[in-house]
Amino acid sequence: MPDPRALDVLVIVDVQNDFLPGGALAVPHGHDVIAPINRLARHFAHVVITQDWHPSNHISFATSHPGRTAFETIDVAYGSQVLWPVHCVQGTPGAALASALDVPHAQLIIRKGGDAGIDSYSAFMEADRRTPTGLAGYLRARGFARLFVSGLATDFCVAWTALDGRAAGFEVSVIEDACRAIDLDGSLARAWAEMEAAGIARIGGSDIIA
Ligand code: VGL
Ligand code: ZN
């Protein structure tokens, strides 16, 4: 019998110190994703981790735009961009994966947002919508078919990753109770509406672990 989990991947999005309480861009209750993710990860043979990984002069940082403040939206070359507090700067403790994350069998850590001039909420495609990260190629080369997405934040990097995974032809589920949201101006409801319209399943951890 083939292992029924052979085609499945758990994708753990941006569970990094800066997104946890006390971090530079803390997601409310962000630390609550760690225990469920650790539990879920034991049920997956294949796990991919993503890391937001910005240079210190990144275009998404309010500090890169004199006179602007965090959580404002501005227009940039590739469209609109929310400005954020400085977060997940390459090599800093804030960019490190949460130390309580216990997923030693993860096979790939993919870093995104490394180009100073382009943001990347999605682990598949940068915000210019033209520059791939290579994740789709990796997943296809491994023969995976189904993605189960978890992590931070539901309405930004989780949603964009799920949507681009679906657009790349994978079957995608988002594990709601293994995610937490920022919820900026209704962004959470919009993200779920877009994901549901795209055919992404909204599931709970109990749908995977009985
Ligand atoms: C994220 C805002 C800025 C996320 C990353 O991981 O959801 N949000 N950078
Ligand atoms: Zn970021």
Side-chain angles (χ1 to χ4, degrees):
M1 265 270 280
D3 184 339
R5 303 171 308 162
L7 304 180
D8 296 349
V9 186
L10 177 66
V11 181
I12 303 173
V13 175
D14 297 5
V15 182
Q16 295 166 262
N17 292 326
D18 271 342
F19 296 124
L20 301 183
L25 178 42
V27 177
H29 305 281
H31 58 295
D32 288 345
V33 304
I34 297 174
I37 286 174
N38 288 344
R39 229 174 4 254
L40 283 160
R42 288 182 210 117
H43 285 255
F44 283 83
H46 307 294
V47 180
V48 168
I49 291 174
T50 79
Q51 232 174 344
D52 213 36
W53 197 252
H54 301 310
S56 60
N57 61 343
H58 193 247
I59 191 168
S60 77
F61 296 167
T63 49
S64 300
H65 306 272
R68 300 292 184 162
T69 56
F71 307 107
E72 271 184 68
T73 299
I74 63 164
D75 287 319
V76 297
Y78 51 77
S80 67
Q81 173 68 52
V82 179
L83 298 181
W84 303 105
V86 173
H87 65 278
C88 297
V89 173
Q90 295 169 358
T92 62
L97 297 172
S99 58
L101 200 62
D102 182 20
V103 191
H105 58 302
Q107 290 159 332
L108 177 73
I109 298 176
I110 188 147
R111 290 169 165 172
K112 61 188 175 61
D115 182 327
I118 315 176
D119 204 1
S120 193
Y121 297 147
S122 164
F124 287 93
M125 193 68 82
E126 296 186 22
D128 62 357
R129 313 311 295 149
R130 312 166 55 91
T131 309
T133 64
L135 180 57
Y138 169 85
L139 295 170
R140 282 190 202 112
R142 297 288 316 269
F144 300 138
R146 304 201 301 174
L147 311 183
F148 294 83
V149 187
S150 63
L152 304 171
T154 320
D155 41 347
F156 289 92
C157 292
V158 167
W160 284 57
T161 296
L163 287 163
D164 281 353
R166 185 81 194 96
F170 299 97
E171 195 180 305
V172 181
S173 301
V174 171
I175 310 167
E176 184 168 15
D177 50 348
C179 299
R180 291 294 181 278
I182 295 173
D183 203 8
L184 189 63
D185 301 325
S187 56
L188 181 59
R190 272 199 308 279
W192 279 120
E194 282 180 42
M195 290 193 282
E196 284 170 9
I200 292 166
R202 179 176 184 168
I203 68 170
S206 60
D207 294 315
I208 296 171
I209 306 175

